[in-house]
């Protein structure tokens, strides 16, 4: 009877902890009173060492939920940096044991209990995190005491904590690394060793969670090195440390996990982990390690398992952006062939990942074109380029997840083409088909992300002065598609991108006939009038950005206008002059973003002044020509200067 009562009691404790974990995961603690999580934290600590395995697991689940709550929270950071507490009998002599006092957890500081602001004083960067130490011990240290009746284990693994406890501890570690990497980085090598040890075990679940921990470690290093990272350079993991870390991992069980065909889920996670290598660290790795990574990924791209193949295709899309690899024509070609193969896979997920990687690969082509000039373009296979163009065109008709990146790739490829490509008959048909595919996507019923990418792609196409924009039959269709979207698309981000594309052509000739120029100009005026027309309240925050982009496009066109274009411009100023003036003033004074610099504002003034000079010069060539347009824009500039001075 007593045993049954005890078992029921432990079951209720486990369920309560799970309920609390669900609550913590869904509550906006960053908006609530400080100290709530501290109370939950202090109440759960005693149960981490409970005799019942289910209670221990659910307690770890709750701790994992806390460290995942709107990370990073200052309150949780302080809780993690409390003095180290031993919750394991074999945690080592350096750790203080409080288990003799059943109420040790109540003896926290008053500030912790009440959640005062003094909790958030600066903490030493390398201060020990007791929860990381605890979870490492639960995963790798032998257990000395006996199991409770509810513990499940076999003689083979009885020396460790039960598998559910170890798995939950690994998940807590992964969440800690993801949310509080600056704290976890002092354990980088040790956590790497934990991941390696897990991947060497026979338990497939332990192996998998070891690989996931490794991925979070790699991602944490990469995030720290991003240009917008708030972590001071002096407090980041150095490139040398990252290279040492990955050298250890690649010399360990990771290559074996990648080749473990009996465990495709592990292969997938290992592939994701391998894609989290810091690019600069990859450059610093020994040649044999670099070759190993590339060889494994290219090989896994042939896997019959769609999960593995998708992960490999995505990883190749990451590696193609590495500075040390993207200028290697052979690697780019090998990667392109591998991605194109996956782009034809029967699995939608594989095709989606392959399309994303193809987009990255074509981004690389543009970067190489701009940095290396004709050298790279001439070395890159024409046949492969044509194959990429055809495959991307076909992929643009696929599902939206494939289509959004396929059109991105098309825009890059058409931008990459050189005159000697364009004049070749075998390219002509593919170019026409590709651009028509972009036009169809802009006007189609795809998601807004797809439309945005298609508008972006057309803008990329317009940058290629070797293409016969303004003369080819597809020019009118392209402009009609963009002007339709800029006037009526429900999504303002798509409208902004279409207006940006319309301001891309670098010469008047590219805008086509007088009629075509007039249609584009009038469409932009109409779009300006409708820049507040939306039924979605969330779109209003993009109104000013849309108007600014339209104004920029109008000034750009004004800079290229001919004498024959003036009647259209004149009529629009007569009919909508006051509204145009209002929006132009807003553009010249504030711009797209609140953080616009003085330099950018002055640049806009200069663009308008240049446009005024251009219009004056073409009007002076015609005897008796009215100068309404010049007067209008000069008054606009004067009004802007007066308002700024005021």
């Amino acid at each position: 009877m007593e045993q049954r009562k005890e078992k029921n009691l432990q079951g209720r404790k486990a369920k309560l902890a799970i309920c609390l974990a669900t609550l913590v995961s869904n509550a906006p603690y960053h908006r609530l009173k400080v100290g709530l999580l501290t109370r939950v934290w202090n109440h759960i600590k005693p149960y981490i060492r409970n005799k019942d395995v289910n209670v221990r697991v659910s307690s770890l689940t709750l701790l994992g939920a806390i460290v995942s709550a709107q990370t990073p929270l200052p309150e949780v950071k302080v809780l993690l940096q409390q003095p180290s507490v031993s919750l394991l009998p074999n945690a080592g002599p350096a750790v203080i044991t409080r288990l003799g006092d059943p109420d040790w957890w109540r003896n926290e500081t008053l500030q912790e209990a009440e959640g005062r602001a003094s909790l958030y004083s600066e903490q030493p960067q390398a201060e020990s995190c007791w929860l990381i130490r605890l979870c490492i011990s639960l995963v790798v240290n032998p257990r000395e005491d006996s199991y409770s009746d509810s513990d499940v284990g076999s003689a083979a693994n009885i020396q460790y904590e039960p598998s559910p406890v170890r798995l939950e501890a690994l998940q807590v570690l992964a969440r800690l690394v993801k949310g509080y990497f600056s704290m976890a980085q002092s354990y980088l090598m040790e956590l790497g060793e934990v991941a390696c040890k897990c991947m060497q075990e026979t338990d497939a679940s332990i192996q998998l969670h070891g690989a996931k921990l490794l991925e979070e470690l790699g991602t944490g290093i990469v995030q720290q090195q991003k240009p917008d990272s708030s972590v001071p350079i002096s407090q980041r993991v150095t490139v040398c440390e990252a290279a040492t870390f990955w050298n250890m991992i690649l010399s360990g069980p990771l290559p074996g996990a990648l080749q473990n065909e009996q465990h495709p889920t592990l292969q997938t996670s290992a592939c994701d982990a391998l894609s989290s290598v810091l690019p600069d660290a990859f450059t610093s790795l020994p040649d044999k390690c670099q070759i190993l990574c590339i060889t494994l990924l290219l090989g896994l791209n042939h896997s019959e398992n769609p999960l593995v193949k998708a992960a490999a295709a995505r990883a190749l899309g990451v590696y193609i952006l590495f500075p040390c690899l993207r200028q290697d024509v052979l690697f780019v070609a090998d990667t392109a062939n591998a991605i194109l193969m996956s782009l034809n896979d029967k699995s939608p997920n594989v095709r989606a990942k392959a399309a994303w990687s193809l987009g990255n690969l074509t981004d690389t082509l543009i970067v190489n074109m701009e940095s290396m000039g004709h050298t790279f373009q001439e070395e890159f296979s024409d046949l492969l380029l044509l194959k990429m163009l055809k495959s991307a065109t076909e992929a643009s008709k696929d599902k939206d997840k494939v289509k959004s990146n396929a059109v991105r790739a098309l825009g890059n490829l058409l931008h990459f083409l050189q005159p000697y490509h364009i004049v070749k008959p075998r390219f002509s048909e593919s170019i026409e088909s590709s651009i028509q595919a972009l036009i169809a996507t802009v006007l189609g019923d795809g998601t807004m992300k797809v439309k945005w990418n298609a508008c972006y792609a057309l803008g990329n196409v317009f940058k290629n002065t070797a293409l016969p924009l303004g003369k080819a039959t597809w020019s009118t269709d392209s402009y009609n598609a963009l002007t339709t979207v800029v006037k009526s698309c429900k999504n303002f981000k798509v409208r902004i991108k279409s207006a940006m594309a319309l301001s891309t052509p670098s010469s008047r000739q590219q805008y086509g006939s007088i009629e075509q120029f007039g249609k584009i100009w009038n469409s932009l005026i109409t779009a300006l009038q409708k820049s507040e027309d939306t039924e979605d309240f969330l779109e209003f925050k993009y109104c000013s950005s849309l108007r600014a982009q339209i104004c920029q496009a109008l000034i750009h066109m004004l800079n290229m206008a001919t004498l024959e274009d003036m009647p259209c411009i004149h009529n629009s100023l007569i009919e909508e002059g006051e509204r145009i003036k209002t929006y132009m003033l807003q553009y010249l004074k504030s711009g797209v973003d609140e953080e616009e610099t003085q330099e950018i504002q002055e640049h806009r003034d200069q663009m308008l002044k240049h446009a005024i000079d251009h219009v004056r010069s073409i009007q002076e060539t015609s005897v008796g020509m009215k100068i309404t347009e010049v007067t209008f824009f000069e008054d606009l500039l004067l009004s802007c200067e007066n308002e700024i001075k005021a």
Side-chain angles (χ1 to χ4, degrees):
M1 180 66 71
E2 289 299 323
Q3 270 189 332
R4 183 177 297 175
K5 286 183 179 180
E6 178 65 20
K7 190 171 183 180
N8 290 338
L9 177 62
Q10 300 302 341
R12 288 197 295 272
K13 288 178 180 178
K15 290 178 181 178
L16 177 60
I18 293 297
C19 288
L20 281 172
T22 303
L23 173 64
V24 169
S25 298
N26 291 281
Y29 283 97
H30 60 298
R31 299 180 184 176
L32 301 180
K33 183 179 178 182
V34 173
L36 294 174
L37 284 175
T38 300
R39 295 177 186 177
V40 176
W41 184 280
N42 289 336
H43 277 76
I44 201 62
K45 273 186 177 180
Y47 298 107
I48 298 172
R49 192 53 192 160
N50 191 279
K51 291 183 179 181
D52 189 283
V53 66
N54 295 318
V55 175
R56 296 206 301 279
V57 170
S58 55
S59 299
L60 287 169
T61 301
L62 176 52
L63 288 174
I66 292 174
V67 299
S68 301
Q70 292 92 38
T71 58
L73 284 177
E75 180 179 1
V76 174
K77 185 177 180 181
V78 172
L79 292 171
L80 290 169
Q81 291 178 329
Q82 289 175 338
S84 297
V85 177
S86 173
L87 296 174
L88 294 171
N90 58 341
V95 183
I96 303 171
T97 303
R98 295 187 186 176
L99 291 177
D101 177 10
D103 292 328
W104 63 267
W105 56 276
R106 297 185 186 277
N107 300 328
E108 305 296 340
T109 63
L110 183 60
Q111 289 87 348
E112 288 169 356
E114 296 180 354
R116 292 180 179 177
S118 60
L119 278 171
Y120 307 138
S121 58
E122 288 295 324
Q123 299 289 334
Q125 188 68 25
E127 188 168 340
S128 176
C129 175
W130 69 267
L131 186 54
I132 291 179
R133 294 243 56 90
L134 167 67
C135 290
I136 290 175
S137 297
L138 289 172
V139 174
V140 302
N141 285 0
R143 180 178 171 182
E144 295 178 357
D145 59 335
S146 59
Y147 293 125
S148 70
D149 291 338
S150 64
D151 286 346
V152 179
S154 63
N157 63 7
I158 200 168
Q159 60 175 321
Y160 295 110
E161 284 283 334
S163 182
V165 175
R166 299 178 73 204
L167 290 172
E168 202 62 43
L170 281 168
Q171 290 193 64
V172 174
L173 281 176
R175 292 178 177 183
L176 267 168
V177 170
K178 183 176 182 179
Y180 299 87
F181 184 77
S182 60
M183 189 179 299
Q185 71 184 65
S186 57
Y187 301 89
L188 180 63
M189 297 304 292
E190 189 174 357
L191 288 170
E193 290 173 358
V194 170
C196 286
K197 183 183 185 306
C198 290
M199 284 190 288
Q200 288 173 319
E201 293 196 20
T202 55
D203 187 325
S205 297
I206 296 291
Q207 289 178 322
L208 183 61
H209 281 79
K212 289 185 179 296
L213 173 59
L214 180 58
E215 181 188 357
E216 292 295 351
L217 289 166
T219 301
I221 297 172
V222 171
Q223 292 292 333
Q224 264 194 354
Q225 300 295 332
K226 287 189 172 181
D228 58 351
S229 173
S230 60
V231 181
I233 295 176
S234 60
Q235 295 178 14
R236 299 177 186 178
V237 174
T238 66
V239 173
C240 182
E241 290 169 340
T244 301
F245 172 81
W246 281 108
N247 195 23
M248 175 188 74
I249 299 299
L250 290 168
S251 301
L254 184 60
L258 286 163
Q259 298 174 80
N260 188 351
E261 295 182 358
Q262 284 70 44
H263 192 353
T265 309
L266 176 62
Q267 281 184 295
T268 302
S269 291
C271 210
D272 291 338
L274 193 61
S275 68
S276 67
V277 178
L278 181 70
D280 291 341
F282 183 86
T283 306
S284 301
L285 289 174
D287 288 346
K288 64 177 183 180
C289 287
Q290 294 185 25
I291 294 171
L292 176 65
C293 292
I294 294 169
T295 304
L296 287 171
L297 290 179
L298 289 172
L300 288 172
N301 196 71
H302 292 274
S303 173
E304 295 181 0
N305 186 287
L307 291 175
V308 177
K309 193 169 185 177
R314 178 190 173 277
L316 286 171
V318 173
Y319 275 51
I320 198 64
L321 300 177
F322 286 8
C324 65
L325 294 177
R326 69 183 180 213
Q327 294 183 353
D328 184 336
V329 177
L330 289 177
F331 173 73
V332 175
D334 287 343
T335 302
N337 282 311
I339 290 172
L340 292 180
M341 181 187 71
S342 294
L343 199 58
N344 291 320
D345 195 86
K346 63 182 180 180
S347 165
N349 187 42
V350 173
R351 297 199 304 275
K353 300 296 184 185
W356 179 81
S357 293
L358 183 62
N360 285 4
L361 189 146
T362 55
D363 285 343
T364 291
L365 294 183
I366 300 301
V367 171
N368 288 342
M369 179 181 73
E370 294 172 349
S371 62
M372 300 172 66
H374 295 299
T375 305
F376 183 86
Q377 290 165 304
E378 291 170 358
E379 291 180 359
F380 197 79
S381 166
D382 287 1
L383 188 61
L384 179 56
L385 186 61
L386 183 60
K387 186 178 177 183
M388 292 168 67
L389 198 59
K390 289 180 177 180
S391 295
T393 302
E394 192 62 32
S396 70
K397 304 169 188 175
D398 205 328
K399 297 180 183 295
D400 282 352
K401 287 186 177 180
V402 179
K403 186 184 296 185
S404 61
N405 284 297
V407 294
R408 173 166 72 103
L410 277 178
N412 284 330
L413 289 167
L414 291 164
H415 182 192
F416 183 78
L417 293 176
Q418 294 304 294
Y420 62 85
H421 292 129
I422 296 169
V423 297
K424 292 181 179 179
R426 61 181 177 178
F427 272 91
S428 300
E429 185 178 347
S430 293
I431 291 172
E432 175 76 27
S433 299
S434 299
I435 295 176
Q436 289 299 336
L438 291 178
I439 294 167
T441 306
V442 169
L443 297 173
D445 57 358
T447 63
M448 294 305 144
K449 181 180 178 180
V450 171
K451 286 177 172 288
W452 188 96
N453 275 309
C455 291
Y456 174 83
L458 278 179
N460 242 344
V461 174
F462 293 174
K463 291 178 183 178
N464 190 342
T465 55
L467 289 169
L469 177 63
K471 297 178 181 178
T473 54
W474 49 260
S475 299
T476 301
D477 294 337
S478 298
Y479 285 127
N480 287 344
L482 290 171
T483 53
T484 298
V485 168
V486 80
K487 290 186 295 185
S488 60
C489 184
K490 294 180 180 179
N491 185 281
F492 275 28
K493 285 186 176 181
V494 176
R495 289 197 207 181
I496 292 168
K497 190 53 64 175
S498 60
M500 193 176 294
L502 289 170
S503 64
T504 301
S506 57
S507 69
R508 171 62 184 86
Q509 187 181 26
Q510 289 183 305
Y511 280 106
S513 66
I514 298 170
E515 292 75 19
Q516 183 67 64
F517 185 94
K519 285 181 181 179
I520 298 169
W521 176 273
N522 287 327
S523 294
L524 288 170
I525 296 295
T526 302
L528 201 57
Q529 296 168 348
K530 294 183 176 181
S531 58
E532 293 182 359
D533 294 354
T534 178
E535 298 176 359
D536 187 349
F537 178 76
L538 296 176
E539 294 297 323
F540 276 110
K541 62 183 176 181
Y542 301 113
C543 285
S544 61
S545 297
L546 173 59
R547 286 194 293 268
Q549 190 59 59
I550 293 172
C551 288
Q552 184 174 321
L554 288 170
I555 294 173
H556 178 78
M557 292 185 70
L558 195 64
N559 267 291
M560 297 179 184
T562 63
L563 189 62
E564 292 75 18
D565 297 321
M566 284 299 112
C568 172
I569 296 173
H570 178 82
N571 291 336
S572 67
L573 296 182
I574 294 297
E575 294 173 8
E576 296 292 338
E578 285 304 312
R579 186 176 296 190
I580 294 172
K581 184 176 181 179
T582 300
Y583 290 143
M584 279 285 186
L585 279 172
Q586 291 176 0
Y587 167 67
L588 293 171
K589 287 190 299 179
S590 59
V592 179
D593 302 311
E594 294 180 0
E595 299 179 357
E596 291 290 346
T597 64
Q598 184 67 27
E599 182 180 353
I600 294 176
Q601 185 174 331
E602 290 175 357
H603 173 71
R604 289 172 175 170
D605 289 347
Q606 289 300 320
M607 285 292 292
L608 184 55
K609 288 177 182 177
H610 186 276
I612 293 171
D613 291 340
H614 171 71
V615 173
R616 180 184 288 113
S617 68
I618 62 174
Q619 288 186 339
E620 287 174 352
T621 62
S622 176
V623 179
M625 185 71 187
K626 295 182 179 180
I627 56 171
T628 305
E629 294 78 22
V630 174
T631 304
F632 177 87
F633 288 109
E634 282 181 337
D635 288 346
L636 186 64
L637 264 181
L638 183 62
S639 299
C640 183
E641 290 172 359
N642 290 337
E643 288 195 29
I644 291 174
K645 288 177 183 178

